[in-house]
Amino acid sequence: MTDELLARHRAVMPTWMSLLYDEPLEIVHAQDRRVTDSTGRTYLDFFAGVLTNAMGYDIAEVSDAVRKQLDTGVLHTSTLYLIRSQVELAEKIAKLSGIPDAKVFFTNSGSEANDTALMLATQHRRSNQVLAMRNSYHGRSFGTVAITGNRGWSASALSPVKVNYVHGGYRYRSPFGDLSDAAYIDACVADLVDVLEIATAGDVACLIAEPIQGVGGFSLPPDGLFKAMKEVLDSYGILFISDEVQTGWGRTGSHFWGIQAHDVVPDLMTFAKGLGNGLAVGGIVGRGDVVDVFNAQSFSTFGGNPVSMAGASSVLDYIRDHNLQANCLARGTQLLSGLRAAAASNEFVGDVRGKGLMIGVELVEPGTLTPSVRAAKQMLEETRRRGLLIGKGGLHNNVLRLGPPMTLTEAEAQEGLDILVDSLAATKAALS
């Protein structure tokens, strides 16, 4: 059945829709942190639908909220009408954002949220110049592909904006990587000033950045980098957009929003993924004067949909009621400690990094900095064979991405860690 479905997939789906594994799997059932494929094999899930199933699967509170809305018969009305659940969720997010006089606009995805943020920033500044980070990823839409600083995901060289890329998000291979935290920040800020003075006309609209680069392999700068950068941006009147599509809602453990680790309040934040726990939802929250910049009319057909709003509101309540941010910190510390210990005796591991339940393991050819794509591929097969699903990413596709549901238990974290350690040893044996 899987082979037949794969053949049908390849016949009607675009070739650029990639699938994991030599033999792709079909997930047909899920519960808590485990998923079951069409052959009946069950796996512990450490990738959570690319961090979208933030709480795991079959969460009663979310299902109940969705069913309650379905029972009204109203699946959709349009933002041309008042939607109580939309207003209530927007109020919660505005308050949590820390942005003064914040306003919220809902979309269907992170790509659409980032595209909207770009449109607002460029309109507010009356400039099509944008700064983005090297090694970044912001989505699949025309505008967000244009600001993605990762060749593997830049599907088109055409662009509605003029983009310049700055250093800072990815430290492992950075020319400043060997510097101390403070010196690294100084070097990246100097680079930002250089780019502004040399490569732009000065009236730049915004800098958009992920506090932790997701597709880029869960890479992250020292805390404080973006505060230092925003001081420069403010001196030019340039807006700062924090892409919280993967780092939001407490997943980093130390803070509710990833950018808070840098002790700075952005002008706009974008969000998606985990807020819906599988439901399609995204959006922006930002300064009221920036969000209100449009003079023309606009609306969002499915953004703010009553079903998505009901589910997302229950997700946000569940995260806060169960203190999942603290759980992310505890389980992330457990996993990072274990992986770093295992890395000490495995020369295929170049770097173990992350915060909370966003962990990247960068694999290299032994004794070098050369990305080991073969080791990453082997690791996905080894972990799957042992009953664990993980992801991969990075510019060279050589970084293991671990983003389990935020409800991960201590026992499940240890189970996954044991599989990862065993798989690292098996990969080393297979490739040495």
Side-chain angles (χ1 to χ4, degrees):
M1 287 294 291
T2 302
D3 289 343
E4 183 253 350
L5 182 60
L6 177 59
R8 290 165 58 192
H9 177 283
R10 287 174 172 164
V12 297
M13 300 293 184
T15 55
W16 40 262
M17 280 182 60
S18 58
L19 294 166
L20 292 176
Y21 304 111
D22 290 336
E23 297 180 4
L25 59 84
E26 176 192 10
I27 295 172
V28 298
H29 180 75
Q31 178 73 43
D32 300 327
R33 273 73 53 193
R34 298 182 190 273
V35 299
T36 303
D37 68 16
S38 56
T39 71
R41 178 81 188 276
T42 296
Y43 307 86
L44 180 62
D45 187 2
F46 262 35
F47 204 33
V50 195
L51 285 71
T52 303
N53 299 308
M55 299 184 305
Y57 303 89
D58 197 22
I59 305 298
E61 288 83 348
V62 180
S63 299
D64 289 345
V66 170
R67 289 192 193 98
K68 184 177 179 180
Q69 181 61 43
L70 292 176
D71 287 344
T72 69
V74 180
L75 276 69
H76 174 74
T77 60
S78 161
T79 54
L80 295 172
Y81 302 97
L82 288 170
I83 303 173
R84 184 173 298 274
S85 57
Q86 181 188 62
V87 174
E88 291 172 346
L89 181 57
E91 289 171 337
K92 293 178 184 178
I93 292 172
K95 183 177 180 180
L96 287 166
S97 73
I99 299 173
D101 303 315
K103 289 193 173 183
V104 178
F105 179 76
F106 291 106
T107 64
N108 304 291
S109 68
S111 292
E112 190 182 342
N114 283 327
D115 216 49
T116 302
L118 289 176
M119 188 161 52
L120 292 171
T122 53
Q123 178 70 11
H124 188 268
R125 290 278 291 163
R126 303 301 297 168
S127 168
N128 71 338
Q129 298 180 93
V130 171
L131 298 176
M133 307 298 293
R134 298 184 180 203
N135 198 52
S136 59
Y137 173 84
H138 297 286
R140 179 201 43 78
S141 66
F142 186 43
T144 55
V145 164
I147 59 167
T148 287
N150 184 321
R151 179 64 187 85
W153 292 86
S154 297
S156 172
L158 303 176
S159 173
V161 291
K162 177 176 171 53
V163 188
N164 285 289
Y165 296 98
V166 297
H167 282 285
Y170 180 37
R171 193 171 183 176
Y172 182 63
R173 297 178 186 280
S174 168
F176 314 134
D178 293 333
L179 300 177
S180 68
D181 286 357
Y184 181 89
I185 290 173
D186 288 344
C188 293
V189 170
D191 171 66
L192 169 63
V193 173
D194 246 8
V195 169
L196 284 169
E197 294 295 330
I198 295 171
T200 77
D203 57 338
V204 173
C206 63
L207 166 67
I208 183 169
E210 306 156 90
I212 298 177
Q213 295 180 328
V215 169
F218 288 157
S219 57
L220 68 164
D223 291 350
L225 172 68
F226 292 117
K227 179 178 183 179
M229 283 188 164
K230 192 171 189 305
E231 290 172 358
V232 173
L233 300 176
D234 287 346
S235 71
Y236 286 82
I238 298 169
L239 300 175
F240 177 48
I241 303 170
S242 182
D243 179 342
E244 299 278 349
V245 169
Q246 296 196 31
T247 52
W249 322 116
R251 176 168 281 279
T252 66
S254 58
H255 297 86
F256 193 76
W257 304 100
I259 199 62
Q260 289 174 325
H262 297 265
D263 190 28
V264 65
V265 178
D267 300 292
L268 291 167
M269 291 195 293
T270 59
F271 56 83
K273 286 190 181 289
L275 178 61
N277 203 55
L279 293 165
V281 61
I284 61 166
V285 56
R287 284 170 34 192
D289 63 314
V290 178
V291 178
D292 282 339
V293 72
F294 289 162
N295 293 319
Q297 295 185 79
S298 194
F299 76 121
S300 186
T301 299
F302 291 107
N305 173 274
V307 177
S308 293
M309 294 295 95
S313 189
S314 70
V315 167
L316 186 52
D317 290 344
Y318 191 100
I319 289 171
R320 298 170 70 192
D321 292 347
H322 292 79
N323 199 9
L324 294 189
Q325 180 179 323
N327 190 60
C328 287
L329 180 60
R331 301 288 71 78
T333 300
Q334 179 184 356
L335 290 169
L336 281 166
S337 297
L339 286 166
R340 284 172 176 153
S345 60
N346 193 316
E347 56 270 28
F348 278 95
V349 180
D351 191 31
V352 177
R353 56 181 178 254
K355 282 185 179 181
L357 290 179
M358 294 184 73
I359 297 172
V361 181
E362 181 144 359
L363 303 180
V364 296
E365 293 300 327
T368 75
L369 287 179
T370 303
S372 184
V373 178
R374 62 179 186 136
K377 184 177 185 298
Q378 185 75 22
M379 273 295 295
L380 255 69
E381 299 297 338
E382 295 288 352
T383 50
R384 177 185 177 178
R385 191 173 298 122
R386 291 165 173 80
L388 180 72
L389 301 185
I390 63 173
K392 63 177 179 176
L395 176 62
H396 307 285
N397 234 9
N398 66 314
V399 183
L400 308 180
R401 294 178 64 197
L402 311 178
M406 295 164 65
T407 53
L408 188 73
T409 68
E410 182 178 1
E412 289 166 341
Q414 189 60 51
E415 178 186 349
L417 178 59
D418 290 343
I419 292 174
L420 286 162
V421 171
D422 287 347
S423 298
L424 282 169
T427 295
K428 178 180 177 181
L431 301 183
S432 294

